[in-house]
Amino acid sequence: MAGDLPDYYFRIRENGAAVFRVDTENRQRRIEMDQIALVNVKNGEIRPQGDRDLTETDLRTIREWLAERQALLARRDIDDIHRAVDHLNLTTQWAQSKATDGQLDDITDALLLAMHDLRTVLVRKKSERLMKAAGTGET
C-alpha cells in the first residue's frame, strides 16, 4: 500500500543519526516513533538507547543505512570539490574582467594564502602518491 510507512526512521544529526522504530500498529492508529539507537557516521559506532537490546533486523537495517549514508556523504564531498574548482575559475574571470581595485585589495591576500596552502598540500600529496607508485612498481 502506498501509505505504508517504513519500519525505521533516521533523524540526521551532525555526526550521524538518531534511529527510531516506527509503529503504526497500535490501538489508537497513531504513528509512534521509539528511539532505539544513535549512529555515528564517522566511526561507525551504533549505540543502543537506554537499556535496549537491538535485534539482528535493527542492526542490519542500521548498518545498511550507515553504508548508504557514508557513500552519499563521500559523493557530496567530491561534488563540493568540483564546485570549488568551478568557483576558482569564476573568481579568476571576475578578477580579470569585473573586479575593482578596492575589491581586489579586500580579497587578494586571503585568496593568495588559501591558494598557496592548497597548492602546497596538493603538491605534497601528489609527490607522495608518485613515490609510492614508483616504490611498488605501479604507474
Side-chain angles (χ1 to χ4, degrees):
M1 182 187 305
D4 287 344
L5 294 174
D7 293 332
Y8 297 89
Y9 171 71
F10 294 83
R11 181 194 300 150
I12 304 300
R13 298 166 29 123
E14 182 84 17
N15 291 324
V19 184
F20 296 85
R21 192 176 294 124
V22 178
D23 178 20
T24 57
E25 301 296 325
N26 54 63
R27 288 180 31 187
Q28 295 82 19
R29 296 194 161 216
R30 293 183 181 164
I31 298 171
E32 293 182 6
M33 297 191 333
D34 186 24
Q35 186 174 353
I36 61 171
L38 291 175
V39 182
N40 185 314
V41 172
K42 293 187 187 229
N43 64 16
E45 179 183 16
I46 300 170
R47 284 191 338 219
Q49 282 305 119
D51 55 356
R52 291 199 191 288
D53 290 324
L54 298 176
T55 67
E56 282 303 315
T57 302
D58 295 337
L59 289 170
R60 184 179 62 251
T61 301
I62 292 169
R63 287 184 187 117
E64 288 171 0
W65 177 88
L66 180 59
E68 290 171 8
R69 183 70 180 170
Q70 288 170 332
L72 172 65
L73 294 174
R75 286 191 308 271
R76 286 182 181 172
D77 278 349
I78 198 68
D79 187 52
D80 287 345
I81 301 306
H82 287 292
R83 289 175 199 237
V85 171
D86 288 349
H87 267 290
L88 281 172
N89 286 312
L90 292 170
T91 301
T92 302
Q93 184 61 33
W94 169 82
Q96 183 176 4
S97 63
K98 297 179 186 176
T100 66
D101 288 346
Q103 290 171 324
L104 289 171
D105 285 342
D106 284 346
I107 59 96
T108 296
D109 290 343
L111 193 53
L112 284 172
L113 287 171
M115 290 170 31
H116 175 74
D117 185 31
L118 176 61
R119 182 184 185 283
T120 301
V121 169
L122 291 175
V123 168
R124 185 184 78 243
K125 295 296 239 175
K126 183 163 189 158
S127 175
E128 290 171 359
R129 289 192 315 273
L130 290 172
M131 296 290 280
K132 183 178 177 184
T136 60
E138 297 176 15
T139 52

